[in-house]
Amino acid sequence: MFKHVILWQLKDELTPELKETVKREAKAALEGLVGQVPGLLSVQVNINGIDTSNADMMLDCTLQDEASLRAYATHPAHVAVADSKVRPFTKARVCMDFPV
């Protein structure tokens, strides 16, 4: 199995209300990818960081194998969510992929 973990910072110019909407919608859309993307075993999105955090959202995916991880990156359902619910609103992204 492989883990795919991402931390995002949202753009500074987003209002607090819009940030909350973006986080809720991204969480629902990303977690909804389970069952749509082959080899994607689980998705958890944390949007409730405490004040000591410097990231707004965290994605934690478990994938069947490295081939599934690579296919996930270009899967149309994943790309559609990333392009509509995440990328337009983020200023920074950090990713780590690793075997478990």
Side-chain angles (χ1 to χ4, degrees), residues 32-71:
L33 291 173
V34 175
Q36 295 185 57
V37 178
L40 180 60
L41 304 176
S42 69
V43 176
Q44 294 180 331
V45 178
N46 192 317
I47 59 172
N48 297 312
I50 62 173
D51 292 343
T52 56
S53 302
N54 61 8
D56 296 298
M57 299 189 303
M58 183 195 79
L59 171 77
D60 181 354
C61 295
T62 304
L63 294 109
Q64 186 172 353
D65 51 29
E66 190 171 356
S68 299
L69 172 64
R70 294 188 185 284

Side-chain angles (χ1 to χ4, degrees), residues 9 11 13 21-22 24-25 34 37 45 54 71:
Q9 290 179 330
K11 291 180 178 178
E13 60 266 22
T21 299
V22 166
R24 282 193 314 273
E25 290 181 2
V34 175
V37 178
V45 178
N54 61 8

Side-chain angles (χ1 to χ4, degrees), residues 81-96:
V81 168
D83 285 348
S84 65
K85 302 293 183 185
V86 180
R87 290 183 182 124
F89 306 102
T90 57
K91 70 174 180 178
R93 174 188 181 272
V94 178
C95 174
M96 184 168 185

